[in-house]
PDB file of all heavy atoms in Angstrom:
ATOM      1  N   GLY A  76      28.915  16.003  -1.117  1.00 58.00           N
ATOM      2  CA  GLY A  76      28.426  17.370  -0.829  1.00 58.00           C
ATOM      3  C   GLY A  76      26.954  17.460  -0.549  1.00 58.00           C
ATOM      4  O   GLY A  76      26.473  18.555  -0.220  1.00 58.00           O
ATOM      5  N   VAL A  77      26.212  16.369  -0.723  1.00 62.00           N
ATOM      6  CA  VAL A  77      24.772  16.384  -0.421  1.00 62.00           C
ATOM      7  C   VAL A  77      24.422  15.167   0.388  1.00 62.00           C
ATOM      8  O   VAL A  77      25.123  14.177   0.412  1.00 62.00           O
ATOM      9  CB  VAL A  77      23.920  16.386  -1.755  1.00 62.00           C
ATOM     10  CG1 VAL A  77      24.148  17.652  -2.540  1.00 62.00           C
ATOM     11  CG2 VAL A  77      24.251  15.180  -2.604  1.00 62.00           C
ATOM     12  N   THR A  78      23.289  15.293   1.089  1.00 76.00           N
ATOM     13  CA  THR A  78      22.882  14.204   1.992  1.00 76.00           C
ATOM     14  C   THR A  78      21.354  14.122   1.993  1.00 76.00           C
ATOM     15  O   THR A  78      20.665  15.152   1.970  1.00 76.00           O
ATOM     16  CB  THR A  78      23.355  14.398   3.421  1.00 76.00           C
ATOM     17  OG1 THR A  78      24.788  14.542   3.444  1.00 76.00           O
ATOM     18  CG2 THR A  78      22.985  13.211   4.302  1.00 76.00           C
ATOM     19  N   GLN A  79      20.839  12.882   1.979  1.00 77.00           N
ATOM     20  CA  GLN A  79      19.404  12.655   2.178  1.00 77.00           C
ATOM     21  C   GLN A  79      19.235  11.728   3.392  1.00 77.00           C
ATOM     22  O   GLN A  79      20.099  10.890   3.672  1.00 77.00           O
ATOM     23  CB  GLN A  79      18.795  11.981   0.955  1.00 77.00           C
ATOM     24  CG  GLN A  79      18.562  12.910  -0.239  1.00 77.00           C
ATOM     25  CD  GLN A  79      17.904  12.147  -1.373  1.00 77.00           C
ATOM     26  OE1 GLN A  79      18.464  11.255  -1.972  1.00 77.00           O
ATOM     27  NE2 GLN A  79      16.649  12.516  -1.663  1.00 77.00           N
ATOM     28  N   TYR A  80      18.092  11.865   4.048  1.00 79.00           N
ATOM     29  CA  TYR A  80      17.832  11.044   5.229  1.00 79.00           C
ATOM     30  C   TYR A  80      16.539  10.278   5.031  1.00 79.00           C
ATOM     31  O   TYR A  80      15.608  10.729   4.329  1.00 79.00           O
ATOM     32  CB  TYR A  80      17.764  11.871   6.471  1.00 79.00           C
ATOM     33  CG  TYR A  80      19.046  12.530   6.890  1.00 79.00           C
ATOM     34  CD1 TYR A  80      19.358  13.873   6.463  1.00 79.00           C
ATOM     35  CD2 TYR A  80      19.972  11.859   7.654  1.00 79.00           C
ATOM     36  CE1 TYR A  80      20.551  14.437   6.808  1.00 79.00           C
ATOM     37  CE2 TYR A  80      21.199  12.438   7.979  1.00 79.00           C
ATOM     38  CZ  TYR A  80      21.467  13.751   7.579  1.00 79.00           C
ATOM     39  OH  TYR A  80      22.671  14.327   7.881  1.00 79.00           O
ATOM     40  N   LEU A  81      16.456   9.099   5.612  1.00 82.00           N
ATOM     41  CA  LEU A  81      15.262   8.320   5.544  1.00 82.00           C
ATOM     42  C   LEU A  81      14.205   8.922   6.474  1.00 82.00           C
ATOM     43  O   LEU A  81      14.485   9.140   7.676  1.00 82.00           O
ATOM     44  CB  LEU A  81      15.596   6.866   5.942  1.00 82.00           C
ATOM     45  CG  LEU A  81      14.459   5.849   5.846  1.00 82.00           C
ATOM     46  CD1 LEU A  81      14.117   5.636   4.357  1.00 82.00           C
ATOM     47  CD2 LEU A  81      14.833   4.515   6.475  1.00 82.00           C
ATOM     48  N   LEU A  82      13.041   9.184   5.940  1.00 80.00           N
ATOM     49  CA  LEU A  82      11.997   9.828   6.731  1.00 80.00           C
ATOM     50  C   LEU A  82      11.590   8.982   7.930  1.00 80.00           C
ATOM     51  O   LEU A  82      11.230   9.502   8.982  1.00 80.00           O
ATOM     52  CB  LEU A  82      10.776  10.161   5.872  1.00 80.00           C
ATOM     53  CG  LEU A  82      10.937  11.345   4.966  1.00 80.00           C
ATOM     54  CD1 LEU A  82       9.709  11.469   4.034  1.00 80.00           C
ATOM     55  CD2 LEU A  82      11.030  12.622   5.786  1.00 80.00           C
ATOM     56  N   ALA A  83      11.617   7.688   7.774  1.00 80.00           N
ATOM     57  CA  ALA A  83      11.215   6.770   8.863  1.00 80.00           C
ATOM     58  C   ALA A  83      12.260   6.726   9.965  1.00 80.00           C
ATOM     59  O   ALA A  83      11.988   6.348  11.055  1.00 80.00           O
ATOM     60  CB  ALA A  83      10.935   5.383   8.328  1.00 80.00           C
ATOM     61  N   ASP A  84      13.501   7.067   9.610  1.00 80.00           N
ATOM     62  CA  ASP A  84      14.614   7.067  10.597  1.00 80.00           C
ATOM     63  C   ASP A  84      15.622   8.121  10.150  1.00 80.00           C
ATOM     64  O   ASP A  84      16.483   7.863   9.352  1.00 80.00           O
ATOM     65  CB  ASP A  84      15.257   5.709  10.627  1.00 80.00           C
ATOM     66  CG  ASP A  84      16.405   5.581  11.672  1.00 80.00           C
ATOM     67  OD1 ASP A  84      16.634   6.580  12.376  1.00 80.00           O
ATOM     68  OD2 ASP A  84      17.023   4.529  11.766  1.00 80.00           O
ATOM     69  N   MET A  85      15.501   9.290  10.747  1.00 77.00           N
ATOM     70  CA  MET A  85      16.312  10.437  10.327  1.00 77.00           C
ATOM     71  C   MET A  85      17.750  10.313  10.729  1.00 77.00           C
ATOM     72  O   MET A  85      18.596  11.187  10.427  1.00 77.00           O
ATOM     73  CB  MET A  85      15.740  11.762  10.907  1.00 77.00           C
ATOM     74  CG  MET A  85      14.379  12.132  10.351  1.00 77.00           C
ATOM     75  SD  MET A  85      14.465  12.598   8.615  1.00 77.00           S
ATOM     76  CE  MET A  85      15.199  14.231   8.742  1.00 77.00           C
ATOM     77  N   THR A  86      18.128   9.220  11.399  1.00 77.00           N
ATOM     78  CA  THR A  86      19.545   8.999  11.673  1.00 77.00           C
ATOM     79  C   THR A  86      20.214   8.225  10.542  1.00 77.00           C
ATOM     80  O   THR A  86      21.422   8.039  10.585  1.00 77.00           O
ATOM     81  CB  THR A  86      19.722   8.214  13.007  1.00 77.00           C
ATOM     82  OG1 THR A  86      19.152   6.895  12.844  1.00 77.00           O
ATOM     83  CG2 THR A  86      19.038   8.898  14.155  1.00 77.00           C
ATOM     84  N   LEU A  87      19.425   7.786   9.590  1.00 80.00           N
ATOM     85  CA  LEU A  87      19.933   6.935   8.504  1.00 80.00           C
ATOM     86  C   LEU A  87      20.061   7.734   7.224  1.00 80.00           C
ATOM     87  O   LEU A  87      19.092   8.287   6.723  1.00 80.00           O
ATOM     88  CB  LEU A  87      18.997   5.731   8.307  1.00 80.00           C
ATOM     89  CG  LEU A  87      19.523   4.572   7.422  1.00 80.00           C
ATOM     90  CD1 LEU A  87      20.758   3.964   8.019  1.00 80.00           C
ATOM     91  CD2 LEU A  87      18.436   3.562   7.233  1.00 80.00           C
ATOM     92  N   LYS A  88      21.260   7.799   6.671  1.00 80.00           N
ATOM     93  CA  LYS A  88      21.512   8.518   5.417  1.00 80.00           C
ATOM     94  C   LYS A  88      21.135   7.647   4.251  1.00 80.00           C
ATOM     95  O   LYS A  88      21.500   6.454   4.195  1.00 80.00           O
ATOM     96  CB  LYS A  88      22.972   8.899   5.308  1.00 80.00           C
ATOM     97  CG  LYS A  88      23.443   9.909   6.354  1.00 80.00           C
ATOM     98  CD  LYS A  88      24.918  10.206   6.185  1.00 80.00           C
ATOM     99  CE  LYS A  88      25.400  11.189   7.260  1.00 80.00           C
ATOM    100  NZ  LYS A  88      26.846  11.466   7.140  1.00 80.00           N
ATOM    101  N   CYS A  89      20.407   8.231   3.304  1.00 80.00           N
ATOM    102  CA  CYS A  89      19.945   7.443   2.148  1.00 80.00           C
ATOM    103  C   CYS A  89      21.054   7.155   1.146  1.00 80.00           C
ATOM    104  O   CYS A  89      20.828   6.392   0.166  1.00 80.00           O
ATOM    105  CB  CYS A  89      18.770   8.184   1.458  1.00 80.00           C
ATOM    106  SG  CYS A  89      17.246   8.172   2.375  1.00 80.00           S
ATOM    107  N   ASN A  90      22.193   7.739   1.339  1.00 74.00           N
ATOM    108  CA  ASN A  90      23.338   7.442   0.454  1.00 74.00           C
ATOM    109  C   ASN A  90      24.429   6.717   1.211  1.00 74.00           C
ATOM    110  O   ASN A  90      25.601   6.715   0.754  1.00 74.00           O
ATOM    111  CB  ASN A  90      23.833   8.722  -0.230  1.00 74.00           C
ATOM    112  CG  ASN A  90      24.152   9.830   0.793  1.00 74.00           C
ATOM    113  OD1 ASN A  90      23.848   9.668   1.987  1.00 74.00           O
ATOM    114  ND2 ASN A  90      24.684  10.934   0.341  1.00 74.00           N
ATOM    115  N   GLY A  91      24.091   6.084   2.330  1.00 75.00           N
ATOM    116  CA  GLY A  91      25.066   5.419   3.102  1.00 75.00           C
ATOM    117  C   GLY A  91      25.068   3.898   2.839  1.00 75.00           C
ATOM    118  O   GLY A  91      24.157   3.391   2.253  1.00 75.00           O
ATOM    119  N   ALA A  92      26.110   3.215   3.327  1.00 79.00           N
ATOM    120  CA  ALA A  92      26.231   1.815   3.113  1.00 79.00           C
ATOM    121  C   ALA A  92      25.185   1.026   3.870  1.00 79.00           C
ATOM    122  O   ALA A  92      24.631   0.043   3.397  1.00 79.00           O
ATOM    123  CB  ALA A  92      27.627   1.308   3.536  1.00 79.00           C
ATOM    124  N   ARG A  93      24.870   1.486   5.090  1.00 82.00           N
ATOM    125  CA  ARG A  93      23.841   0.778   5.888  1.00 82.00           C
ATOM    126  C   ARG A  93      22.479   0.827   5.226  1.00 82.00           C
ATOM    127  O   ARG A  93      21.727  -0.124   5.205  1.00 82.00           O
ATOM    128  CB  ARG A  93      23.771   1.386   7.280  1.00 82.00           C
ATOM    129  CG  ARG A  93      22.963   0.602   8.296  1.00 82.00           C
ATOM    130  CD  ARG A  93      23.424   0.886   9.721  1.00 82.00           C
ATOM    131  NE  ARG A  93      23.194   2.295  10.061  1.00 82.00           N
ATOM    132  CZ  ARG A  93      22.158   2.672  10.845  1.00 82.00           C
ATOM    133  NH1 ARG A  93      21.307   1.821  11.307  1.00 82.00           N
ATOM    134  NH2 ARG A  93      22.034   3.948  11.157  1.00 82.00           N
TER     135      ARG A  93
END
Side-chain angles (χ1 to χ4, degrees):
V77 295
T78 304
Q79 284 182 292
Y80 294 94
L81 186 66
L82 282 173
D84 182 2
M85 292 292 285
T86 65
L87 191 63
K88 296 178 181 179
C89 289
N90 51 356
R93 191 155 63 103

